[in-house]
Amino acid sequence: MDEVLARRVPPLDPQVGAAVAAAGERARQVLTPEGLAAWQERDAAARPRPTPDQLRDGGRFEVAELRVPRADGGGEVTLVSGRPAGVGGALPVLYYLHGGGMVSGNAWSVLPRLLRSWALPLGLAVVSVEYRLAPRTRFPGAVEDGYAGLCWVGEHAAALGVDARRLVIGGKSAGGGLAAALALLARDRGGPAPIGQLLLSPMLDDRGGTFSSHQMAGHDTWHRASNATAWQAVLGERYGAADLSPYAAPARATDLSRLPAAYLEVGSAETFRDETVAYADAIWRAGGDAELHVWPGACHGFDTLAPHAAVSQDAHAARTRWLRRILPPA
């Protein structure tokens, strides 16, 4: 990697840059193997975990916690479902996997935003997955949890009041990578057939060899060292293996044909920029349908850090337009 070129970085959007500056060191903490346990403890203490009553928001939403069996018989996966209250019929459903590097985060914390942003205005249901985290559970634990939940939703769609023919899988960061892996897994196992995959700044490639991964080191809010630490936690001794499964790191896939339509987005000033662009290109090369957005001046998590920034508003509007287009009427 040319060190001179790697020092040239795309500028941050001014509003995003102001939000990153205001967040201070908190926005640029680096995850290390030695600090992983403390990172997880801080995340668990700081990340909001609303109760079902809080998620119901005074009766605006119907919320339920569901426990479904894992395929290996080794316990259960928790799903948290929400939908606009009083809306009858079988709703389209967004099956969502949270971010956090596959080492942190939870199914509850993402729901308030998903319910307000999409469930209410689009009239859809949301199912959020509480998958097991690394390093306590390594690959394939998280993706198998996601697949078990996906199959259960497909099989129990009528009881849930959702339409399995109008199902989109999605996620952000680690959740985006898991959603991409689920699309591959469902295709190859003949499982539920989502009509779309919503991949927001997806964590797709364990190898850390892209130009943007080097270019944005020390500049993006998710550092390449943090990314390496997370992948090591997920993969253990399989980290960096030449024959790693694409269900672990979808960028390793050699066949991206016959996948659901994809929406991919990433920031121009983001570690994951090049792997996201490459994944969209690979879908196109395989004859697939992909909509790609590279948001200028956006870093990892830009819309969380600066939700009122114009670029964040544009990104939300583009995601919503794609969901409206991809989800046909009943």
Side-chain angles (χ1 to χ4, degrees):
M1 182 64 61
D2 188 316
E3 292 184 5
V4 174
L5 285 177
R7 285 198 295 269
R8 299 175 184 168
V9 299
L12 282 177
D13 171 88
Q15 292 175 300
V16 172
V20 171
E25 289 300 313
R26 180 172 57 87
R28 299 198 183 277
Q29 289 180 328
V30 176
L31 174 62
T32 64
E34 299 76 20
L36 176 55
W39 177 289
Q40 291 177 315
E41 289 175 6
R42 287 194 303 271
D43 180 84
R47 192 181 296 268
R49 193 182 179 108
T51 65
D53 280 344
Q54 290 171 325
L55 290 171
R56 291 185 185 106
D57 194 15
R60 296 174 75 196
F61 303 104
E62 298 171 7
V63 175
E65 292 184 5
L66 310 165
R67 287 173 177 79
V68 308
R70 293 194 181 106
D72 61 5
E76 296 176 316
V77 181
T78 298
L79 308 176
V80 189
S81 71
R83 58 188 285 149
V87 178
L91 300 184
V93 57
L94 172 63
Y95 186 81
Y96 195 84
L97 300 110
H98 66 79
M102 289 183 276
V103 298
S104 60
N106 64 74
W108 292 265
S109 63
V110 295
L111 266 176
R113 187 173 183 180
L114 295 174
L115 291 173
R116 289 192 307 269
S117 298
W118 288 326
L120 203 58
L122 299 181
L124 58 77
V126 177
V127 176
S128 183
V129 188
E130 180 70 350
Y131 57 84
R132 288 170 292 175
L133 301 176
R136 183 173 182 179
T137 301
R138 300 194 190 275
F139 172 78
V143 71
E144 289 291 355
D145 288 352
Y147 187 72
L150 182 67
C151 290
W152 192 91
V153 168
E155 293 164 4
H156 296 83
L160 284 172
V162 301
D163 185 350
R165 298 167 302 176
R166 295 187 292 157
L167 184 151
V168 172
I169 52 177
K172 187 175 183 180
S173 192
L178 287 169
L182 276 185
L184 294 167
L185 200 57
R187 178 199 65 184
D188 296 344
R189 290 183 179 175
I195 61 172
Q197 48 180 328
L198 181 71
L199 311 180
L200 309 178
S201 296
M203 182 178 173
L204 299 166
D205 197 339
D206 64 298
R207 293 165 293 190
T210 65
F211 185 90
S212 62
S213 175
H214 291 272
Q215 181 188 39
M216 299 312 304
H219 300 280
D220 191 16
T221 52
W222 181 247
H223 193 282
R224 62 178 277 106
S226 300
N227 201 45
T229 297
W231 277 114
Q232 289 168 24
V234 171
L235 299 175
E237 293 180 356
R238 297 292 297 156
Y239 176 63
D243 59 347
L244 186 67
S245 168
Y247 309 139
R252 300 292 197 107
T254 57
D255 178 10
L256 294 182
S257 64
R258 299 177 292 109
L259 290 175
Y263 175 100
L264 302 99
E265 75 163 43
V266 71
S268 66
E270 185 170 351
T271 299
F272 292 156
R273 183 192 66 219
D274 292 354
E275 64 196 69
T276 302
V277 172
Y279 201 72
D281 184 61
I283 291 173
W284 294 323
R285 288 171 181 260
D289 179 356
E291 177 175 328
L292 172 66
H293 292 265
V294 181
W295 297 110
C299 62
H300 194 66
F302 67 99
D303 58 324
T304 300
L305 283 164
H308 301 297
V311 68
S312 300
Q313 297 293 310
D314 288 348
H316 175 67
R319 300 165 193 165
T320 303
R321 283 194 300 269
W322 180 83
L323 282 169
R324 285 188 189 277
R325 188 168 67 251
I326 206 71
L327 292 170

